[in-house]
Amino acid sequence: ILSWGMDSTLTLDTTVILYPLSDSNFAYSISLSDSEYVMLENRTHKRWDAYTPTKGMIVFHGNINRIANWQSEGNAINVNPNDRGYYIEPAIGDSTNILSDSTTYPGSRNVTSKTDFHLTSGSPVSKSLINIHYLSDSSISLHYINNAAIFSSTVGLITDSSAVINGTIAGNNITNTKLE
């Protein structure tokens, strides 16, 4: 928002290294739609992050329309919990109840993937981050998949011994759609 840092937008499947923001002033972004994106930052216990409660990669979700109007709306960018402009998507749990040990990737809970990107509307987005892990120098390595398969399912008619599961899968190069 204030152009204090630099970022690079991930568009193709790739493995990248995310250096600590306090050392590099660099982050990666991923476009989710024309108006929404996520920003990936590596926060460590250095410089301005020296007193943060935890370290690791933080995923911020941004809505360009809300961000563009933050001043004219009286700095109310995140007032409406259903229409926020910039917020953390924690590694575990949902963004309304963030605990410091569940916020970062891989973090203290060793969360090594993020495969559940969604737009503010709730629509899934076919992007994934896998193999998220620390390197010896406090940097983080991760693999980005641009067009990951999306699986959605519903469960109904549940009894003591059975259930009916219906689902759909979308994506490129899918060779098997069997649910087991």
Side-chain angles (χ1 to χ4, degrees):
I1 294 172
L2 299 175
S3 299
W4 288 351
M6 301 171 296
D7 73 290
S8 177
T9 302
L10 299 175
T11 57
L12 302 173
D13 294 6
T14 188
T15 297
V16 296
I17 296 175
L18 187 58
Y19 294 98
L21 187 67
S22 59
D23 293 340
S24 66
N25 209 25
F26 183 83
Y28 285 104
S29 63
I30 299 169
S31 176
L32 302 179
S33 73
D34 289 341
S35 62
E36 293 182 57
Y37 65 95
V38 292
M39 186 72 66
L40 312 176
E41 297 179 1
N42 179 1
R43 298 303 188 101
T44 58
H45 293 133
K46 296 179 179 179
R47 298 189 184 148
W48 60 76
D49 287 334
Y51 300 102
T52 55
T54 188
K55 67 177 188 168
M57 182 179 72
I58 297 180
V59 177
F60 289 97
H61 188 126
N63 181 323
I64 294 168
N65 298 326
R66 298 282 297 139
I67 292 169
N69 298 321
W70 75 276
Q71 287 177 310
S72 64
E73 294 178 3
N75 197 20
I77 192 168
N78 287 329
V79 171
N80 181 345
N82 298 315
D83 188 20
R84 293 175 290 169
Y86 202 74
Y87 59 93
I88 294 172
E89 290 191 1
I92 296 174
D94 64 50
S95 62
T96 62
N97 187 15
I98 296 175
L99 303 172
S100 61
D101 71 336
S102 64
T103 303
T104 60
Y105 297 80
S108 60
R109 300 228 191 150
N110 199 33
V111 180
T112 60
S113 64
K114 177 163 179 56
T115 58
D116 61 344
F117 288 102
H118 290 83
L119 299 177
T120 302
S121 66
S123 298
V125 180
S126 61
K127 315 285 184 190
S128 290
L129 302 174
I130 60 170
N131 198 22
I132 303 168
H133 62 278
Y134 291 112
L135 299 175
S136 61
D137 64 351
S138 297
S139 59
I140 294 173
S141 178
L142 61 102
H143 186 74
Y144 169 67
I145 302 172
N146 181 51
N147 202 355
I150 298 174
F151 175 73
S152 60
S153 64
T154 58
V155 179
L157 302 174
I158 301 170
T159 69
D160 289 339
S161 60
S162 68
V164 175
I165 301 174
N166 291 304
T168 59
I169 189 164
N172 290 339
N173 301 319
I174 297 171
T175 58
N176 185 349
T177 60
K178 189 186 319 180
L179 177 65
E180 296 185 30

